[in-house]
Amino acid sequence: MNTIAVIDWKDLLLGSEDWSFLPEVILRTVIMFLIIILGLRILGKRGVKQLSVFELVVIIGLGSAAGDPMFYKDVGIVFSLLVFIVIIALYALLTYFLGKSKRFEDMVEGKPVCLIRDGVFELENFKKENLGNDEFFAELRLRGISHLGQIETAIEETSGGVSVFFLEADEIRYGLPIMLNSLDNPLKQIEKAGYYSCTFCGFTEEKAVGAAGNCSHCGKEKWVSASNNKRVT
């Protein structure tokens, strides 16, 4: 004869806790919500990529809140529901303030940052964004770019994506090549007169045979032969 189990509704709704734990759940959720935002700001825009900071926070928070009660007996559904409500309320509140205050929006989500101007790296901005050359060059190559002389401006948006504005075909200048292995053999001595680019900042100038010298833009002394190829579209 089958025995029908008696459902313990207190365990189902509250797990091993009681109603007095609810205020602590609210406090824990607020603290973790702020910690996640801080962590994402430290991680940088590349970690966020196409999602906004708050969308990613909501996904992480709601995912954890939904997952824990599924397999932890001592985690009650009521607490999970409360976490959902608090996160959604915080999201709505912060979204409201973002729409009301440009200063608050810039503080939380950051500002677009210019990374390349007239084919040369904006070094201070590039360092702040903690981007690696290989990663950045790979993204440019995916857009059909073979050297920095094809670029008028490149801007990293708050989403982590990069917007690129190109020079017209007849305006393309000599620039730092970004194809594979193009920076592997930098020069300090020029053996053939022509245009050369600084491997560190992309500054390009015409050089005569002899010592390459230091870059007037960043002070570095390693150069590679520049390219003025047209962009393939």
Side-chain angles (χ1 to χ4, degrees):
M1 181 176 178
N2 295 332
T3 302
I4 300 177
V6 178
I7 297 176
D8 188 330
W9 289 100
K10 180 180 181 300
D11 283 347
L12 178 64
L13 296 177
L14 300 178
S16 61
E17 304 297 337
D18 55 36
W19 295 103
S20 62
F21 188 56
L22 294 182
E24 185 174 340
V25 171
I26 296 175
L27 179 60
R28 285 169 179 255
T29 305
V30 171
I31 292 173
M32 291 308 301
F33 187 85
L34 297 176
I35 288 175
I36 292 171
I37 291 177
L38 178 61
L40 290 174
R41 294 292 291 129
I42 293 174
L43 179 63
K45 298 168 188 170
R46 301 300 297 179
V48 178
K49 197 60 177 175
Q50 299 304 321
L51 293 175
S52 71
V53 170
F54 294 117
E55 287 169 340
L56 193 57
V57 168
V58 168
I59 290 172
I60 293 172
L62 296 184
S64 178
D68 289 350
M70 293 180 183
F71 51 86
Y72 286 124
K73 180 177 173 60
D74 58 342
V75 178
I77 295 176
V78 169
F79 299 116
S80 177
L81 179 60
L82 183 61
V83 169
F84 268 72
I85 294 172
V86 173
I87 288 179
I88 293 172
L90 284 171
Y91 179 78
L93 181 64
L94 290 175
T95 301
Y96 172 80
F97 283 117
L98 287 174
K100 291 292 184 179
S101 172
K102 178 63 177 175
R103 182 177 179 183
F104 182 69
E105 181 182 7
D106 291 342
M107 180 180 69
V108 174
E109 292 195 330
K111 298 180 180 180
V113 176
C114 180
L115 299 179
I116 296 176
R117 191 186 305 276
D118 295 327
V120 180
F121 284 120
E122 293 282 309
L123 291 178
E124 291 303 315
N125 291 342
F126 199 85
K127 291 175 184 177
K128 290 177 184 177
E129 296 307 302
N130 195 28
L131 290 172
N133 280 356
D134 289 343
E135 177 188 12
F136 186 58
F137 287 167
E139 183 155 349
L140 295 181
R141 288 194 296 268
L142 289 171
R143 296 171 180 262
I145 299 168
S146 62
H147 65 89
L148 301 190
Q150 299 168 341
I151 300 174
E152 178 183 18
T153 309
I155 300 171
E156 186 183 30
E157 306 293 353
T158 57
S159 65
V162 177
S163 299
V164 181
F165 298 89
F166 302 100
L167 292 167
E168 297 293 337
D170 59 350
E171 296 177 338
I172 290 175
R173 65 200 72 178
Y174 282 91
L176 178 71
I178 61 173
M179 302 302 288
L180 293 178
N181 306 317
S182 59
L183 306 181
D184 286 353
N185 299 299
L187 305 171
K188 293 185 179 180
Q189 190 74 20
I190 304 300
E191 297 180 356
K192 181 180 178 181
Y195 285 89
Y196 290 82
S197 298
C198 171
T199 60
F200 188 75
C201 70
F203 178 76
T204 301
E205 63 183 3
E206 189 174 9
K207 290 186 176 294
V209 174
N214 290 42
C215 175
S216 60
H217 187 257
C218 69
K220 304 296 182 180
E221 56 180 5
K222 294 182 179 180
W223 302 80
V224 293
S225 181
S227 171
N228 68 337
N229 292 337
K230 304 299 182 183
R231 179 169 167 264
V232 178
T233 56

